[in-house]
C-alpha cells in the first residue's frame, strides 16, 4: 500500500501516528517510516505555525531511521528537530542537548568528521551553559567528545610491511629452532649407554597399555553395559503404559481429554497406554503411565531415569497439574464453565461499548442484566457476578498495587494479584472491574477499561497456560484502536517440548511428585554400595599394584557412577 498517496483528512492524524507507534512496538520499522512521514506532512501548516505533535513525530521518525541504520536519512530529521528545540525550548533544555549529542554521533557514524567535531563542541557548550556544575550528563558529553578527539588524533595502522626484513627474521628464527633441536638430540645420545638401543614407539605404546589396562577395560565394558541398558529401557517404556493399564483395571483414565484454558497444551488419553500430546504446533502419540504408590511404580521410576523429557502430572478429579504450575482441565470441568461464562461477558461488554460508547460502568444497572447472574457449577445455585466500578481519578497504581502501564498491569494480574478492594474470592466466582473517567455516558460516566477474572474450585485464580500464569481478560477501548483483549500474560506463549512419556500420579497425598526422583535415588544407592565395596575389597590391592585380571566389581562401580552423573547431564539439555 502506498501510504503517501492515500487521501488522509486532518482528523486522521492521531490514528496515523498510533498505527506508526504500533508498527514500532512490533519492530516493523520499515512500515512505520512512511506513516510518520505522512503525519509530518499533515502537521506542517502553510503559515509556518508549529503544531505541538510535529516535534514528537520528527523525534520518532529519527529513531526509526536510526533503527534501520539509515543515518543519511536521519541527519536532516535530527537537524530540523534541533532547530525546533532551540527555538521552542531554548538551547539549555536537556532534551535539546540530548538531540545535539545524538546528531554529533550520527555525523561521526557517517564519517562527516568536520560536522561531528563542531556538533560535539556545541553540545558541550550547551551543557556547560544550561546544566548545573558537575552534572553527570555534562560529564558524559565531555567524555564522548574526548573519545572522538582521541580517535581523530590516533595514528593510522601501518599498511605496508618491509617484506625483506620479515623474511630475514623468519629465516633467523628457523635457524635458532634447528640449532636447539640438534643440541637436544646430542644430549640424549650422550645420556643413553652405547650398549642399549632406544625403545621403539610400538614397545612404548604396549608398555602404556599394560599400565592402564586395569582401568581401560572396565571403562569400555561399563560403556557397553550402559548403551545396552539404555536401549533396553527405551523398549520397556514403549510397553510401560500397557502394563500399567493391565495391572490397574480398577480405575481407567481412557477417553479423557485435558487442555489448558488458552489451548496451548492438550493431552488426550486415547487408550490404556497411549496419549496424544499437542503443544506449540507439535502433535505426537506418546505412552503414559498411572502411578499410585505401589511396587510397580519403582519399575516405572527406573524406566523414567533414561527419559530426560518425561513430564509428570498430578490428577485430582478432572484436572491435571504439573510441577511447574501448568494446569490442564477436562472438557466440562467447573473451570471450563467459568471461562465460558467469562467469554459471554466479554461479548456482552464489547457489544455494549459499540452501542453506548462505554463499557458497563453502573454497578446498580449491571445487577439487572441477565448476564450478571449464573449457576455456580460447584454449588449448583444462582451466583451473583458483581461489577466493581472505580473512578480513574484514584489512579491505576492505586487500583493495581503500584502498576501503572499496560504491561505492568497485565503482569500484575497474571501473577494472580487482586485489584484494590476486590471482593473475597470464592469457588468458581467471577469478578468484573470497570474503570471510568470524567466523560459523561449513559451509565453516568464513560468507561474505557474493563477487566474480568475467574476463580477455580479452590477459590484461586484459574491457571491460563504453560508456566502457571493466571487467566483473565482485559478490555481496552479508544478512538484510534479496536477493542483489545488478552487472556495471557504480557509475555508470548511458552514453547513446550514434546515429552517422551507422561506420568500421572494419583492418590499420592501432599507429595504427588515424590516418585519422580525415585529412579536416581535407587541408582545412587546402588552406585554408593558398589563404591564402598570397591574401597574395601579392590582398592587395597590397587595400591599394592597387584595384578588380578578383570574385576567385575570395578565394572559395576564405574557403570553406576557414570549412570548417576549422566542423569544430571541429560537434564541440562
Amino acid at each position: 500500500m502506498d501510504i503517501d498517496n492515500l487521501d488522509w483528512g486532518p482528523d486522521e492524524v492521531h490514528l496515523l501516528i498510533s498505527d506508526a507507534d504500533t508498527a514500532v512496538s512490533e519492530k516493523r520499522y520499515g512500515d512505520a517510516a512512511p506513516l510518520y512521514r505522512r503525519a509530518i506532512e499533515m502537521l506542517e501548516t502553510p503559515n509556518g505555525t508549529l503544531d505541538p505533535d510535529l516535534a514528537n513525530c520528527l523525534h520518532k521518525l529519527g529513531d526509526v531511521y536510526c533503527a534501520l541504520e539509515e543515518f543519511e536519512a536521519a541527519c536532516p530529521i535530527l537537524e530540523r528537530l534541533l532547530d525546533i528545540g532551540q527555538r521552542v525550548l531554548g538551547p539549555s533544555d536537556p532534551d535539546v542537548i540530548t538531540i545535539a549529542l545524538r546528531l554529533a554521533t550520527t555525523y561521526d557514524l557517517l564519517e562527516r568528521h568536520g560536522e561531528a567535531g563542531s556538533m560535539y563542541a556545541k553540545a558541550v557548550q550547551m551543557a556547560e551553559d544550561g546544566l548545573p556544575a558537575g552534572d553527570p550528563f555534562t560529564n558524559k558529553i565531555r567524555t564522548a567528545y574526548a573519545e572522538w578527539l582521541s580517535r581523530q588524533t590516533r595514528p593510522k595502522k601501518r599498511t605496508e610491511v618491509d617484506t625483506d626484513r620479515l623474511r630475514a627474521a623468519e629465516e633467523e628464527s628457523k635457524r635458532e629452532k634447528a640449532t636447539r633441536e640438534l643440541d637436544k638430540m646430542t644430549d640424549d645420545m650422550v645420556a643413553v649407554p652405547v650398549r642399549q638401543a632406544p625403545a621403539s614407539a610400538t614397545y612404548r605404546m604396549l608398555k602404556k597399555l599394560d599400565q592402564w589396562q586395569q582401568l581401560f577395560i572396565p571403562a569400555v565394558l561399563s560403556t557397553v553395559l550402559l548403551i545396552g541398558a539404555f536401549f533396553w529401557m527405551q523398549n520397556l517404556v514403549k510397553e510401560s503404559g500397557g502394563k500399567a493399564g493391565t495391572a490397574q483395571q480398577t480405575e481407567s483414565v481412557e477417553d479423557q481429554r485435558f487442555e489448558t484454558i488458552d489451548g496451548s497444551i492438550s493431552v488426550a488419553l486415547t487408550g490404556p497406554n497411549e496419549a496424544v500430546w499437542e503443544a506449540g504446533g507439535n502433535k505426537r502419540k506418546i505412552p503414559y503411565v498411572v502411578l499410585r504408590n505401589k511396587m510397580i511404580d519403582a519399575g516405572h521410576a527406573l524406566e523414567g531415569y533414561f527419559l530426560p523429557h518425561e513430564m509428570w502430572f498430578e490428577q485430582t478429579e478432572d484436572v491435571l497439574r504439573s510441577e511447574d504450575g501448568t494446569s490442564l482441565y477436562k472438557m466440562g470441568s467447573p473451570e471450563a464453565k467459568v471461562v465460558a461464562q467469562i467469554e459471554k461477558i466479554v461479548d456482552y461488554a464489547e457489544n455494549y461499548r459499540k452501542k453506548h460508547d462505554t463499557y458497563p460502568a453502573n454497578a446498580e444497572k449491571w445487577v439487572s442484566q441477565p448476564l450478571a447472574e449464573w449457576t455456580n457449577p460447584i454449588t449448583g445455585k444462582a451466583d451473583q457476578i458483581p461489577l466493581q466500578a472505580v473512578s480513574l481519578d484514584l489512579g491505576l497504581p492505586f487500583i493495581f498495587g503500584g502498576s501503572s502501564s499496560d504491561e505492568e498491569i497485565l503482569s500484575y494480574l497474571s501473577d494472580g494479584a487482586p485489584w484494590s478492594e476486590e471482593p473475597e474470592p470464592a469457588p468458581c466466582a467471577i469478578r468484573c472491574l470497570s474503570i471510568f473517567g470524567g466523560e459523561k455516558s449513559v451509565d453516568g460516566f464513560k468507561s474505557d477499561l474493563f477487566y474480568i477474572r475467574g476463580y477455580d474450585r479452590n477459590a484461586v485464580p484459574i491457571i491460563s497456560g504453560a508456566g502457571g500464569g493466571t487467566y483473565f481478560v482485559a478490555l481496552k477501548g479508544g478512538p484510534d484502536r479496536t477493542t483489545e483483549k488478552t487472556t495471557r500474560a504480557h509475555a508470548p506463549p511458552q514453547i513446550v517440548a514434546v515429552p517422551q512419556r507422561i506420568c500421572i500420579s494419583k492418590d499420592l497425598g501432599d507429595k504427588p511428585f515424590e516418585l519422580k526422583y525415585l529412579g536416581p535415588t535407587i541408582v545412587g544407592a546402588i552406585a554408593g554400595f558398589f563404591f564402598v565395596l570397591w574401597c574395601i575389597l579392590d582398592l587395597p590391592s590397587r595400591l599394592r599394584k597387584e595384578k588380578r585380571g578383570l574385576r567385575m566389581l570395578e565394572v559395576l562401580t564405574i557403570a553406576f557412577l557414570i549412570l548417576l552423573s549422566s542423569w544430571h547431564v541429560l537434564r541440562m539439555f
Side-chain angles (χ1 to χ4, degrees):
M1 181 181 292
D2 188 1
I3 298 298
D4 294 332
N5 294 327
L6 290 177
D7 186 17
W8 295 86
D11 296 336
E12 287 87 0
V13 63
H14 291 97
L15 177 61
L16 196 64
I17 296 174
S18 177
D19 290 342
D21 292 342
T22 301
V24 170
S25 66
E26 297 174 356
K27 297 185 179 181
R28 296 185 287 108
Y29 302 114
D31 296 337
L35 295 174
Y36 283 132
R37 288 198 301 267
R38 180 57 180 161
I40 291 171
E41 293 176 3
M42 296 169 61
L43 291 170
E44 290 177 330
T45 56
N47 57 6
T49 58
L50 184 62
D51 190 284
D53 291 329
L54 180 59
N56 185 34
C57 281
L58 287 171
H59 191 282
K60 293 179 178 179
L61 181 57
D63 290 343
V64 167
Y65 281 140
C66 290
L68 293 171
E69 297 185 359
E70 296 180 5
F71 300 111
E72 287 286 357
C75 269
I77 299 297
L78 295 175
E79 290 169 352
R80 184 177 179 187
L81 189 61
L82 179 61
D83 179 65
I84 293 175
Q86 289 177 318
R87 287 190 286 109
V88 176
L89 302 176
S92 61
D93 187 83
D95 292 336
V96 178
I97 299 173
T98 302
I99 296 171
L101 178 60
R102 188 163 190 179
L103 182 57
T105 306
T106 305
Y107 284 147
D108 188 17
L109 291 172
L110 293 173
E111 297 185 355
R112 293 162 61 173
H113 302 302
E115 294 169 286
S118 300
M119 190 53 63
Y120 271 123
K122 182 176 181 179
V124 171
Q125 188 63 45
M126 293 166 65
E128 291 177 347
D129 294 342
L131 300 178
D135 189 274
F137 189 39
T138 304
N139 296 332
K140 178 180 178 181
I141 298 176
R142 288 173 180 160
T143 302
Y145 188 23
E147 291 176 353
W148 181 86
L149 291 173
S150 176
R151 290 197 302 272
Q152 302 307 308
T153 57
R154 188 179 301 155
K156 296 183 178 180
K157 294 182 179 179
R158 184 173 180 179
T159 58
E160 297 181 359
V161 180
D162 190 339
T163 56
D164 293 337
R165 290 184 58 189
L166 180 60
R167 189 179 298 109
E170 291 178 351
E171 292 294 334
E172 181 66 23
S173 176
K174 291 179 180 179
R175 285 195 296 270
E176 292 178 358
K177 183 177 180 181
T179 301
R180 288 195 301 270
E181 292 179 354
L182 181 60
D183 293 341
K184 186 176 182 302
M185 290 175 60
T186 303
D187 294 340
D188 292 341
M189 291 175 64
V190 171
V192 177
V194 177
R195 297 188 306 271
Q196 183 179 355
S200 64
T202 304
Y203 176 83
R204 291 196 299 269
M205 183 182 68
L206 292 175
K207 192 72 173 177
K208 285 283 187 182
L209 287 177
D210 182 65
Q211 295 174 357
W212 291 98
Q213 65 174 332
Q214 298 299 321
L215 293 178
F216 178 73
I217 294 177
V220 172
L221 292 178
S222 299
T223 304
V224 173
L225 180 63
L226 288 177
I227 294 175
F230 177 80
F231 286 108
W232 178 53
M233 285 296 183
Q234 289 285 327
N235 185 59
L236 286 179
V237 166
K238 295 179 181 179
E239 303 175 358
S240 62
K243 295 178 181 179
T246 303
Q248 300 167 3
Q249 294 287 342
T250 56
E251 185 178 353
S252 176
V253 291
E254 298 178 36
D255 302 325
Q256 298 184 23
R257 177 181 174 84
F258 302 83
E259 65 178 0
T260 55
I261 291 299
D262 60 9
S264 59
I265 304 175
S266 67
V267 175
L269 307 179
T270 57
N273 66 332
E274 185 179 78
V276 177
W277 170 274
E278 187 172 0
N282 295 320
K283 186 176 182 180
R284 189 179 302 172
K285 293 182 179 180
I286 56 176
Y288 77 90
V289 293
V290 180
L291 308 179
R292 290 185 176 85
N293 204 13
K294 298 181 179 180
M295 288 299 298
I296 194 174
D297 295 342
H300 295 322
L302 283 175
E303 293 168 359
Y305 186 90
F306 292 86
L307 299 175
H309 301 297
E310 187 179 50
M311 196 164 187
W312 282 60
F313 289 96
E314 175 196 11
Q315 183 177 8
T316 55
E317 300 179 12
D318 47 6
V319 182
L320 294 180
R321 287 190 175 89
S322 69
E323 201 170 9
D324 67 352
T326 301
S327 294
L328 286 77
Y329 301 95
K330 189 178 179 180
M331 302 298 293
S333 65
E335 289 78 10
K337 294 179 180 179
V338 171
V339 173
Q341 181 67 17
I342 290 177
E343 291 176 352
K344 293 179 182 179
I345 297 175
V346 171
D347 293 336
Y348 174 81
E350 290 180 333
N351 292 329
Y352 194 90
R353 176 172 177 76
K354 291 178 182 178
K355 184 176 179 181
H356 301 291
D357 194 29
T358 178
Y359 293 120
N362 190 316
E364 297 180 359
K365 183 177 179 182
W366 169 265
V367 175
S368 64
Q369 303 299 325
L371 196 67
E373 185 175 292
W374 77 304
T375 302
N376 190 302
I378 296 296
T379 63
K381 300 179 181 179
D383 194 0
Q384 187 71 33
I385 301 175
L387 171 65
Q388 185 178 354
V390 180
S391 174
L392 190 60
D393 293 338
L394 296 176
L396 293 177
F398 174 80
I399 300 173
F400 296 105
S403 303
S404 57
S405 65
D406 287 346
E407 182 176 350
E408 291 177 346
I409 292 173
L410 295 182
S411 178
Y412 178 81
L413 294 177
S414 179
D415 292 337
W419 55 67
S420 178
E421 298 182 1
E422 181 180 357
E424 288 294 326
C428 291
I430 299 175
R431 305 289 186 239
C432 300
L433 172 66
S434 181
I435 302 177
F436 59 86
E439 189 176 349
K440 295 290 185 179
S441 73
V442 295
D443 278 16
F445 293 96
K446 180 179 177 181
S447 169
D448 281 335
L449 298 172
F450 200 84
Y451 298 89
I452 315 169
R453 75 187 315 165
Y455 294 87
D456 66 7
R457 67 195 70 186
N458 298 316
V460 298
I462 297 176
I463 301 300
S464 174
T470 62
Y471 173 83
F472 64 93
V473 176
L475 303 178
K476 181 177 181 181
D480 59 346
R481 62 198 303 180
T482 57
T483 301
E484 174 188 354
K485 63 179 179 178
T486 175
T487 58
R488 303 182 187 179
H490 59 284
Q494 301 181 17
I495 303 302
V496 182
V498 178
Q500 294 175 277
R501 186 176 70 169
I502 296 175
C503 286
I504 301 175
S505 64
K506 302 188 69 174
D507 308 324
L508 297 187
D510 297 333
K511 299 179 179 179
F513 305 107
E514 191 172 24
L515 290 177
K516 182 176 181 180
Y517 303 100
L518 180 60
T521 301
I522 295 175
V523 173
I526 295 174
F529 174 74
F530 282 129
F531 182 75
V532 171
L533 285 182
W534 178 79
C535 291
I536 297 174
L537 301 178
D538 281 356
L539 182 58
S541 63
R542 283 293 184 194
L543 296 177
R544 293 192 298 267
K545 299 181 180 180
E546 297 178 2
K547 295 184 178 180
R548 291 171 46 191
L550 183 63
R551 308 182 186 189
M552 291 305 300
L553 184 58
E554 288 183 341
V555 174
L556 295 174
T557 303
I558 295 174
F560 277 98
L561 289 175
I562 294 176
L563 187 61
L564 183 62
S565 59
S566 64
W567 185 84
H568 297 281
V569 174
L570 289 175
R571 265 64 186 173
M572 297 173 60
F573 301 98

